[in-house]
Amino acid sequence: MGAFYIRRFLAIFPTLLVVIVITFTIMHATPGGPFDVNPDSRTSGPGVQERLMRQYGLDKPWFFNPDATSKAWTGGQGPVAAIGAFFDAQFTSFIVNLAQGKLGPSFRFRGRQVEDVLFDPLTDGAPPWQSRVGTTIALGMIALVFALVVGFPMGLIAALNQNTWIDNVSLFIVTVGVGIPNFVLGLLLILLFASTLGWLKVLEDVSWQDWKGWVLPAFCLSIGTSAFLARLTRSTVLEVMRQDYVRTARAKGLVERVVIWKHIVRNALIPVVTFLGPAFAALTTGSFVIEYTFSVTGIGRLFVESIGRRDYGVIMGLTLIYAAFVAFANLGVDLVYGYLDPRIRLASK
């Protein structure tokens, strides 16, 4: 069992390396550069931009530096210096910084490191978790709670009332929840609850001290997961209700309430619980549009803005964080599956 867990854990690192290489390549292959699109540099002359490129190492090749290798070799600096010059490139600099726990400088937030932009508190004197990463995680957790509170009971009630008007209404809501885009729903809710009724706040930065700013973005973010969870719960409960042990429990004369909660709900929870890990990763990594629509100061909104400004360090850092979220969530699911079903461990040998 220990080898199974270790293999699953070690598999994360080559996965993250592949994600880093692909993201790095696409990011640098995209036309434009950080100092071409940055409004602060448009008034700067070519000499200033070249100096900035040298300062941040953007004048070096992407992966390898054969020109520097040739100069070192022909200059008589020795094979060690030639090998070092070969790897004197942007990608290897990023990997070296990453190995030291650093993500490099931010081009947009001058004078700040990427890890400081992501993890520092948004306001002076605030606790460490009130950062951009903390805001996105908090939003994802609230959305997950919304999804659980709405999706699981809806699916359970629909299954217990199969082929009735309650089931039909539930299926209609699930279909709408899966089909409606987040930003459309968000704009409708803003129009109704903020502009018309004035009950909730939007279009200003979500504050940790004001809960009214969290309701609408968390609800919009959770609506798709709620619908999927309701559909999953309904199908799972219907499958469990057809099992022999449920018929036996009813034949023994158990009270229907006991049959439902002890035999049906408990067994139906297993696929729901295993769904929570990737659901949290999906909510956390899928908040780009929601954060931008509701002006949430999280990493999703920062990611969109960084792509427009070609802030390479922030893009690489956020991609790594998102990939790590998904990888560790999948690892958690693998561990749960391996614990619940030993056949999965045997199949992986």
Side-chain angles (χ1 to χ4, degrees), residues 19-307:
V19 171
I20 291 173
V21 172
I22 294 175
T23 305
F24 184 88
T25 304
I26 295 176
M27 183 177 65
H28 283 75
T30 304
F35 304 111
D36 297 334
V37 297
N38 192 329
D40 296 336
S41 65
R42 285 177 179 170
T43 57
S44 302
V48 176
Q49 294 185 17
E50 291 177 2
R51 182 178 59 80
L52 290 173
M53 296 285 283
R54 286 196 301 272
Q55 176 182 345
Y56 289 105
L58 298 178
D59 59 328
K60 297 179 181 178
W62 294 358
F63 291 99
F64 305 109
N65 198 340
D67 293 337
T69 306
S70 177
K71 291 180 181 177
W73 186 260
T74 57
Q77 299 179 18
V80 176
I83 294 174
F86 184 71
F87 291 103
D88 185 20
Q90 297 182 45
F91 182 75
T92 48
S93 297
F94 174 78
I95 295 297
V96 170
N97 285 332
L98 186 63
Q100 298 173 351
K102 302 177 182 177
L103 295 172
S106 169
F107 302 147
R108 176 189 173 191
F109 302 93
R110 299 289 176 82
R112 299 186 66 186
Q113 297 294 308
V114 173
E115 57 270 19
D116 297 333
V117 175
L118 301 181
F119 295 101
D120 278 358
L122 295 172
T123 57
D124 295 335
W129 62 83
Q130 294 185 8
S131 60
R132 284 182 169 82
V133 174
T135 299
T136 297
I137 292 176
L139 183 62
M141 293 181 69
I142 296 172
L144 185 61
V145 172
F146 276 0
L148 284 172
V149 171
V150 175
F152 185 78
M154 183 185 297
L156 177 62
I157 293 172
L160 296 177
N161 298 275
Q162 186 183 15
N163 298 328
T164 64
W165 68 270
I166 297 176
D167 190 21
N168 294 331
V169 170
S170 174
L171 289 176
F172 174 76
I173 295 175
V174 167
T175 303
V176 173
V178 171
I180 188 170
N182 281 339
F183 65 91
V184 174
L185 179 63
L187 294 177
L188 292 176
L189 293 179
I190 289 173
L191 180 64
L192 177 61
F193 291 102
S195 300
T196 304
L197 300 176
W199 291 351
L200 299 171
K201 292 183 177 180
V202 291
L203 300 180
E204 58 187 67
D205 284 346
V206 169
S207 170
W208 283 81
Q209 285 75 33
D210 191 352
W211 63 271
K212 291 182 179 180
W214 293 85
V215 176
L216 291 183
F219 178 77
C220 288
L221 186 60
S222 71
I223 192 69
T225 305
S226 301
F228 183 84
L229 185 60
R231 189 167 57 183
L232 174 65
T233 303
R234 179 181 181 275
S235 61
T236 304
V237 170
L238 288 176
E239 183 179 351
V240 173
M241 289 172 64
R242 299 188 183 101
Q243 299 299 315
D244 291 338
Y245 60 83
V246 175
R247 297 194 188 97
T248 302
R250 284 173 171 156
K252 288 166 58 178
L254 290 179
V255 179
E256 185 64 15
R257 175 172 53 83
V258 176
V259 174
I260 292 174
W261 291 105
K262 186 175 181 180
H263 294 282
I264 296 177
V265 173
R266 179 176 295 180
N267 290 284
L269 277 175
I270 295 176
V272 174
V273 170
T274 56
F275 168 73
L276 295 182
F280 176 70
L283 290 173
T284 305
T285 60
S287 60
F288 304 102
V289 177
I290 293 298
E291 289 190 7
Y292 214 85
T293 302
F294 291 93
S295 297
V296 178
T297 311
I299 57 177
R301 177 182 170 188
L302 178 64
F303 190 75
V304 176
E305 295 173 349
S306 299
I307 292 175

